[in-house]
mmCIF file with all atom_site columns, all heavy atoms in Angstrom:
data_model
loop_
_atom_site.group_PDB
_atom_site.id
_atom_site.type_symbol
_atom_site.label_atom_id
_atom_site.label_alt_id
_atom_site.label_comp_id
_atom_site.label_asym_id
_atom_site.label_entity_id
_atom_site.label_seq_id
_atom_site.pdbx_PDB_ins_code
_atom_site.Cartn_x
_atom_site.Cartn_y
_atom_site.Cartn_z
_atom_site.occupancy
_atom_site.B_iso_or_equiv
_atom_site.pdbx_formal_charge
_atom_site.auth_seq_id
_atom_site.auth_comp_id
_atom_site.auth_asym_id
_atom_site.auth_atom_id
_atom_site.pdbx_PDB_model_num
ATOM 1   N N   . PRO A 1 97  ? -13.204 11.154 -23.141 1.00 0.00 ? 106 PRO A N   1
ATOM 2   C CA  . PRO A 1 97  ? -13.332 10.485 -21.842 1.00 0.00 ? 106 PRO A CA  1
ATOM 3   C C   . PRO A 1 97  ? -13.752 11.401 -20.694 1.00 0.00 ? 106 PRO A C   1
ATOM 4   O O   . PRO A 1 97  ? -13.405 12.574 -20.656 1.00 0.00 ? 106 PRO A O   1
ATOM 5   C CB  . PRO A 1 97  ? -11.953 9.902  -21.594 1.00 0.00 ? 106 PRO A CB  1
ATOM 6   C CG  . PRO A 1 97  ? -11.035 10.663 -22.469 1.00 0.00 ? 106 PRO A CG  1
ATOM 7   C CD  . PRO A 1 97  ? -11.838 11.123 -23.643 1.00 0.00 ? 106 PRO A CD  1
ATOM 8   N N   . VAL A 1 98  ? -14.504 10.809 -19.807 1.00 0.00 ? 107 VAL A N   1
ATOM 9   C CA  . VAL A 1 98  ? -14.972 11.464 -18.589 1.00 0.00 ? 107 VAL A CA  1
ATOM 10  C C   . VAL A 1 98  ? -14.688 10.493 -17.447 1.00 0.00 ? 107 VAL A C   1
ATOM 11  O O   . VAL A 1 98  ? -15.123 9.341  -17.484 1.00 0.00 ? 107 VAL A O   1
ATOM 12  C CB  . VAL A 1 98  ? -16.485 11.772 -18.652 1.00 0.00 ? 107 VAL A CB  1
ATOM 13  C CG1 . VAL A 1 98  ? -16.949 12.463 -17.394 1.00 0.00 ? 107 VAL A CG1 1
ATOM 14  C CG2 . VAL A 1 98  ? -16.819 12.596 -19.872 1.00 0.00 ? 107 VAL A CG2 1
ATOM 15  N N   . THR A 1 99  ? -13.942 10.968 -16.447 1.00 0.00 ? 108 THR A N   1
ATOM 16  C CA  . THR A 1 99  ? -13.589 10.129 -15.301 1.00 0.00 ? 108 THR A CA  1
ATOM 17  C C   . THR A 1 99  ? -14.393 10.580 -14.091 1.00 0.00 ? 108 THR A C   1
ATOM 18  O O   . THR A 1 99  ? -14.445 11.772 -13.796 1.00 0.00 ? 108 THR A O   1
ATOM 19  C CB  . THR A 1 99  ? -12.078 10.226 -15.008 1.00 0.00 ? 108 THR A CB  1
ATOM 20  O OG1 . THR A 1 99  ? -11.371 9.805  -16.173 1.00 0.00 ? 108 THR A OG1 1
ATOM 21  C CG2 . THR A 1 99  ? -11.690 9.347  -13.833 1.00 0.00 ? 108 THR A CG2 1
ATOM 22  N N   . VAL A 1 100 ? -15.016 9.632  -13.422 1.00 0.00 ? 109 VAL A N   1
ATOM 23  C CA  . VAL A 1 100 ? -15.842 9.938  -12.259 1.00 0.00 ? 109 VAL A CA  1
ATOM 24  C C   . VAL A 1 100 ? -15.364 9.149  -11.053 1.00 0.00 ? 109 VAL A C   1
ATOM 25  O O   . VAL A 1 100 ? -14.728 8.096  -11.194 1.00 0.00 ? 109 VAL A O   1
ATOM 26  C CB  . VAL A 1 100 ? -17.336 9.635  -12.523 1.00 0.00 ? 109 VAL A CB  1
ATOM 27  C CG1 . VAL A 1 100 ? -17.880 10.490 -13.659 1.00 0.00 ? 109 VAL A CG1 1
ATOM 28  C CG2 . VAL A 1 100 ? -17.570 8.164  -12.807 1.00 0.00 ? 109 VAL A CG2 1
ATOM 29  N N   . SER A 1 101 ? -15.687 9.671  -9.883  1.00 0.00 ? 110 SER A N   1
ATOM 30  C CA  . SER A 1 101 ? -15.419 8.928  -8.652  1.00 0.00 ? 110 SER A CA  1
ATOM 31  C C   . SER A 1 101 ? -16.509 9.227  -7.642  1.00 0.00 ? 110 SER A C   1
ATOM 32  O O   . SER A 1 101 ? -17.139 10.288 -7.684  1.00 0.00 ? 110 SER A O   1
ATOM 33  C CB  . SER A 1 101 ? -14.044 9.273  -8.079  1.00 0.00 ? 110 SER A CB  1
ATOM 34  O OG  . SER A 1 101 ? -14.055 10.576 -7.553  1.00 0.00 ? 110 SER A OG  1
ATOM 35  N N   . ALA A 1 102 ? -16.732 8.271  -6.770  1.00 0.00 ? 111 ALA A N   1
ATOM 36  C CA  . ALA A 1 102 ? -17.701 8.418  -5.674  1.00 0.00 ? 111 ALA A CA  1
ATOM 37  C C   . ALA A 1 102 ? -17.106 7.741  -4.454  1.00 0.00 ? 111 ALA A C   1
ATOM 38  O O   . ALA A 1 102 ? -16.698 6.579  -4.519  1.00 0.00 ? 111 ALA A O   1
ATOM 39  C CB  . ALA A 1 102 ? -19.028 7.773  -6.036  1.00 0.00 ? 111 ALA A CB  1
ATOM 40  N N   . ARG A 1 103 ? -17.046 8.486  -3.378  1.00 0.00 ? 112 ARG A N   1
ATOM 41  C CA  . ARG A 1 103 ? -16.549 7.934  -2.123  1.00 0.00 ? 112 ARG A CA  1
ATOM 42  C C   . ARG A 1 103 ? -17.487 8.378  -1.013  1.00 0.00 ? 112 ARG A C   1
ATOM 43  O O   . ARG A 1 103 ? -17.877 9.541  -0.968  1.00 0.00 ? 112 ARG A O   1
ATOM 44  C CB  . ARG A 1 103 ? -15.132 8.405  -1.839  1.00 0.00 ? 112 ARG A CB  1
ATOM 45  C CG  . ARG A 1 103 ? -14.134 7.708  -2.734  1.00 0.00 ? 112 ARG A CG  1
ATOM 46  C CD  . ARG A 1 103 ? -12.751 8.234  -2.634  1.00 0.00 ? 112 ARG A CD  1
ATOM 47  N NE  . ARG A 1 103 ? -11.778 7.623  -3.508  1.00 0.00 ? 112 ARG A NE  1
ATOM 48  C CZ  . ARG A 1 103 ? -11.848 7.483  -4.816  1.00 0.00 ? 112 ARG A CZ  1
ATOM 49  N NH1 . ARG A 1 103 ? -12.902 7.870  -5.443  1.00 0.00 ? 112 ARG A NH1 1
ATOM 50  N NH2 . ARG A 1 103 ? -10.886 6.928  -5.519  1.00 0.00 ? 112 ARG A NH2 1
ATOM 51  N N   . GLY A 1 104 ? -17.829 7.448  -0.142  1.00 0.00 ? 113 GLY A N   1
ATOM 52  C CA  . GLY A 1 104 ? -18.724 7.796  0.951   1.00 0.00 ? 113 GLY A CA  1
ATOM 53  C C   . GLY A 1 104 ? -19.224 6.565  1.657   1.00 0.00 ? 113 GLY A C   1
ATOM 54  O O   . GLY A 1 104 ? -18.504 5.568  1.807   1.00 0.00 ? 113 GLY A O   1
ATOM 55  N N   . GLU A 1 105 ? -20.500 6.626  2.040   1.00 0.00 ? 114 GLU A N   1
ATOM 56  C CA  . GLU A 1 105 ? -21.093 5.545  2.824   1.00 0.00 ? 114 GLU A CA  1
ATOM 57  C C   . GLU A 1 105 ? -22.540 5.355  2.399   1.00 0.00 ? 114 GLU A C   1
ATOM 58  O O   . GLU A 1 105 ? -23.275 6.327  2.191   1.00 0.00 ? 114 GLU A O   1
ATOM 59  C CB  . GLU A 1 105 ? -21.024 5.922  4.298   1.00 0.00 ? 114 GLU A CB  1
ATOM 60  C CG  . GLU A 1 105 ? -21.505 4.844  5.225   1.00 0.00 ? 114 GLU A CG  1
ATOM 61  C CD  . GLU A 1 105 ? -21.301 5.231  6.673   1.00 0.00 ? 114 GLU A CD  1
ATOM 62  O OE1 . GLU A 1 105 ? -20.148 5.445  7.080   1.00 0.00 ? 114 GLU A OE1 1
ATOM 63  O OE2 . GLU A 1 105 ? -22.319 5.324  7.380   1.00 0.00 ? 114 GLU A OE2 1
ATOM 64  N N   . TRP A 1 106 ? -22.942 4.092  2.283   1.00 0.00 ? 115 TRP A N   1
ATOM 65  C CA  . TRP A 1 106 ? -24.328 3.766  1.959   1.00 0.00 ? 115 TRP A CA  1
ATOM 66  C C   . TRP A 1 106 ? -24.758 2.611  2.845   1.00 0.00 ? 115 TRP A C   1
ATOM 67  O O   . TRP A 1 106 ? -24.122 1.559  2.859   1.00 0.00 ? 115 TRP A O   1
ATOM 68  C CB  . TRP A 1 106 ? -24.486 3.394  0.479   1.00 0.00 ? 115 TRP A CB  1
ATOM 69  C CG  . TRP A 1 106 ? -25.911 3.471  0.061   1.00 0.00 ? 115 TRP A CG  1
ATOM 70  C CD1 . TRP A 1 106 ? -26.847 2.484  0.148   1.00 0.00 ? 115 TRP A CD1 1
ATOM 71  C CD2 . TRP A 1 106 ? -26.581 4.624  -0.433  1.00 0.00 ? 115 TRP A CD2 1
ATOM 72  N NE1 . TRP A 1 106 ? -28.065 2.947  -0.276  1.00 0.00 ? 115 TRP A NE1 1
ATOM 73  C CE2 . TRP A 1 106 ? -27.929 4.261  -0.637  1.00 0.00 ? 115 TRP A CE2 1
ATOM 74  C CE3 . TRP A 1 106 ? -26.181 5.918  -0.708  1.00 0.00 ? 115 TRP A CE3 1
ATOM 75  C CZ2 . TRP A 1 106 ? -28.871 5.155  -1.134  1.00 0.00 ? 115 TRP A CZ2 1
ATOM 76  C CZ3 . TRP A 1 106 ? -27.123 6.808  -1.201  1.00 0.00 ? 115 TRP A CZ3 1
ATOM 77  C CH2 . TRP A 1 106 ? -28.446 6.418  -1.406  1.00 0.00 ? 115 TRP A CH2 1
ATOM 78  N N   . ASP A 1 107 ? -25.832 2.812  3.596   1.00 0.00 ? 116 ASP A N   1
ATOM 79  C CA  . ASP A 1 107 ? -26.349 1.804  4.533   1.00 0.00 ? 116 ASP A CA  1
ATOM 80  C C   . ASP A 1 107 ? -25.247 1.252  5.444   1.00 0.00 ? 116 ASP A C   1
ATOM 81  O O   . ASP A 1 107 ? -25.174 0.052  5.715   1.00 0.00 ? 116 ASP A O   1
ATOM 82  C CB  . ASP A 1 107 ? -27.051 0.656  3.802   1.00 0.00 ? 116 ASP A CB  1
ATOM 83  C CG  . ASP A 1 107 ? -28.367 1.079  3.173   1.00 0.00 ? 116 ASP A CG  1
ATOM 84  O OD1 . ASP A 1 107 ? -28.957 2.079  3.643   1.00 0.00 ? 116 ASP A OD1 1
ATOM 85  O OD2 . ASP A 1 107 ? -28.805 0.421  2.221   1.00 0.00 ? 116 ASP A OD2 1
ATOM 86  N N   . GLY A 1 108 ? -24.357 2.143  5.893   1.00 0.00 ? 117 GLY A N   1
ATOM 87  C CA  . GLY A 1 108 ? -23.301 1.761  6.813   1.00 0.00 ? 117 GLY A CA  1
ATOM 88  C C   . GLY A 1 108 ? -22.098 1.096  6.165   1.00 0.00 ? 117 GLY A C   1
ATOM 89  O O   . GLY A 1 108 ? -21.158 0.706  6.853   1.00 0.00 ? 117 GLY A O   1
ATOM 90  N N   . HIS A 1 109 ? -22.112 0.955  4.840   1.00 0.00 ? 118 HIS A N   1
ATOM 91  C CA  . HIS A 1 109 ? -21.003 0.320  4.126   1.00 0.00 ? 118 HIS A CA  1
ATOM 92  C C   . HIS A 1 109 ? -20.239 1.368  3.320   1.00 0.00 ? 118 HIS A C   1
ATOM 93  O O   . HIS A 1 109 ? -20.846 2.251  2.714   1.00 0.00 ? 118 HIS A O   1
ATOM 94  C CB  . HIS A 1 109 ? -21.517 -0.778 3.187   1.00 0.00 ? 118 HIS A CB  1
ATOM 95  C CG  . HIS A 1 109 ? -22.270 -1.851 3.889   1.00 0.00 ? 118 HIS A CG  1
ATOM 96  N ND1 . HIS A 1 109 ? -21.651 -2.808 4.664   1.00 0.00 ? 118 HIS A ND1 1
ATOM 97  C CD2 . HIS A 1 109 ? -23.599 -2.101 3.976   1.00 0.00 ? 118 HIS A CD2 1
ATOM 98  C CE1 . HIS A 1 109 ? -22.568 -3.613 5.175   1.00 0.00 ? 118 HIS A CE1 1
ATOM 99  N NE2 . HIS A 1 109 ? -23.758 -3.200 4.776   1.00 0.00 ? 118 HIS A NE2 1
ATOM 100 N N   . PRO A 1 110 ? -18.912 1.248  3.269   1.00 0.00 ? 119 PRO A N   1
ATOM 101 C CA  . PRO A 1 110 ? -18.139 2.217  2.496   1.00 0.00 ? 119 PRO A CA  1
ATOM 102 C C   . PRO A 1 110 ? -18.379 2.053  0.993   1.00 0.00 ? 119 PRO A C   1
ATOM 103 O O   . PRO A 1 110 ? -18.565 0.938  0.504   1.00 0.00 ? 119 PRO A O   1
ATOM 104 C CB  . PRO A 1 110 ? -16.686 1.904  2.851   1.00 0.00 ? 119 PRO A CB  1
ATOM 105 C CG  . PRO A 1 110 ? -16.700 0.501  3.343   1.00 0.00 ? 119 PRO A CG  1
ATOM 106 C CD  . PRO A 1 110 ? -18.068 0.259  3.928   1.00 0.00 ? 119 PRO A CD  1
ATOM 107 N N   . VAL A 1 111 ? -18.379 3.172  0.293   1.00 0.00 ? 120 VAL A N   1
ATOM 108 C CA  . VAL A 1 111 ? -18.498 3.184  -1.161  1.00 0.00 ? 120 VAL A CA  1
ATOM 109 C C   . VAL A 1 111 ? -17.216 3.809  -1.705  1.00 0.00 ? 120 VAL A C   1
ATOM 110 O O   . VAL A 1 111 ? -16.805 4.871  -1.254  1.00 0.00 ? 120 VAL A O   1
ATOM 111 C CB  . VAL A 1 111 ? -19.720 4.012  -1.631  1.00 0.00 ? 120 VAL A CB  1
ATOM 112 C CG1 . VAL A 1 111 ? -19.735 4.159  -3.151  1.00 0.00 ? 120 VAL A CG1 1
ATOM 113 C CG2 . VAL A 1 111 ? -21.016 3.396  -1.130  1.00 0.00 ? 120 VAL A CG2 1
ATOM 114 N N   . ASP A 1 112 ? -16.589 3.127  -2.657  1.00 0.00 ? 121 ASP A N   1
ATOM 115 C CA  . ASP A 1 112 ? -15.389 3.636  -3.310  1.00 0.00 ? 121 ASP A CA  1
ATOM 116 C C   . ASP A 1 112 ? -15.490 3.202  -4.769  1.00 0.00 ? 121 ASP A C   1
ATOM 117 O O   . ASP A 1 112 ? -15.230 2.046  -5.102  1.00 0.00 ? 121 ASP A O   1
ATOM 118 C CB  . ASP A 1 112 ? -14.136 3.074  -2.648  1.00 0.00 ? 121 ASP A CB  1
ATOM 119 C CG  . ASP A 1 112 ? -12.870 3.734  -3.168  1.00 0.00 ? 121 ASP A CG  1
ATOM 120 O OD1 . ASP A 1 112 ? -12.953 4.681  -3.978  1.00 0.00 ? 121 ASP A OD1 1
ATOM 121 O OD2 . ASP A 1 112 ? -11.784 3.288  -2.752  1.00 0.00 ? 121 ASP A OD2 1
ATOM 122 N N   . TYR A 1 113 ? -15.909 4.122  -5.632  1.00 0.00 ? 122 TYR A N   1
ATOM 123 C CA  . TYR A 1 113 ? -16.167 3.821  -7.040  1.00 0.00 ? 122 TYR A CA  1
ATOM 124 C C   . TYR A 1 113 ? -15.416 4.818  -7.897  1.00 0.00 ? 122 TYR A C   1
ATOM 125 O O   . TYR A 1 113 ? -15.413 6.020  -7.618  1.00 0.00 ? 122 TYR A O   1
ATOM 126 C CB  . TYR A 1 113 ? -17.670 3.928  -7.308  1.00 0.00 ? 122 TYR A CB  1
ATOM 127 C CG  . TYR A 1 113 ? -18.069 3.798  -8.759  1.00 0.00 ? 122 TYR A CG  1
ATOM 128 C CD1 . TYR A 1 113 ? -18.326 2.552  -9.318  1.00 0.00 ? 122 TYR A CD1 1
ATOM 129 C CD2 . TYR A 1 113 ? -18.198 4.925  -9.565  1.00 0.00 ? 122 TYR A CD2 1
ATOM 130 C CE1 . TYR A 1 113 ? -18.705 2.435  -10.646 1.00 0.00 ? 122 TYR A CE1 1
ATOM 131 C CE2 . TYR A 1 113 ? -18.575 4.804  -10.893 1.00 0.00 ? 122 TYR A CE2 1
ATOM 132 C CZ  . TYR A 1 113 ? -18.825 3.560  -11.428 1.00 0.00 ? 122 TYR A CZ  1
ATOM 133 O OH  . TYR A 1 113 ? -19.200 3.445  -12.749 1.00 0.00 ? 122 TYR A OH  1
ATOM 134 N N   . SER A 1 114 ? -14.786 4.347  -8.939  1.00 0.00 ? 123 SER A N   1
ATOM 135 C CA  . SER A 1 114 ? -14.219 5.238  -9.944  1.00 0.00 ? 123 SER A CA  1
ATOM 136 C C   . SER A 1 114 ? -14.232 4.516  -11.282 1.00 0.00 ? 123 SER A C   1
ATOM 137 O O   . SER A 1 114 ? -14.099 3.284  -11.337 1.00 0.00 ? 123 SER A O   1
ATOM 138 C CB  . SER A 1 114 ? -12.812 5.704  -9.574  1.00 0.00 ? 123 SER A CB  1
ATOM 139 O OG  . SER A 1 114 ? -11.945 4.612  -9.502  1.00 0.00 ? 123 SER A OG  1
ATOM 140 N N   . HIS A 1 115 ? -14.447 5.301  -12.339 1.00 0.00 ? 124 HIS A N   1
ATOM 141 C CA  . HIS A 1 115 ? -14.536 4.710  -13.670 1.00 0.00 ? 124 HIS A CA  1
ATOM 142 C C   . HIS A 1 115 ? -14.329 5.810  -14.703 1.00 0.00 ? 124 HIS A C   1
ATOM 143 O O   . HIS A 1 115 ? -14.718 6.953  -14.477 1.00 0.00 ? 124 HIS A O   1
ATOM 144 C CB  . HIS A 1 115 ? -15.904 4.053  -13.868 1.00 0.00 ? 124 HIS A CB  1
ATOM 145 C CG  . HIS A 1 115 ? -15.998 3.230  -15.106 1.00 0.00 ? 124 HIS A CG  1
ATOM 146 N ND1 . HIS A 1 115 ? -15.515 1.952  -15.189 1.00 0.00 ? 124 HIS A ND1 1
ATOM 147 C CD2 . HIS A 1 115 ? -16.516 3.514  -16.323 1.00 0.00 ? 124 HIS A CD2 1
ATOM 148 C CE1 . HIS A 1 115 ? -15.740 1.472  -16.403 1.00 0.00 ? 124 HIS A CE1 1
ATOM 149 N NE2 . HIS A 1 115 ? -16.347 2.417  -17.113 1.00 0.00 ? 124 HIS A NE2 1
#
Side-chain angles (χ1 to χ4, degrees):
V107 181
T108 301
V109 298
S110 71
R112 286 173 182 54
E114 185 175 299
W115 197 272
D116 290 337
H118 301 286
V120 173
D121 188 4
Y122 173 88
S123 62
H124 190 81

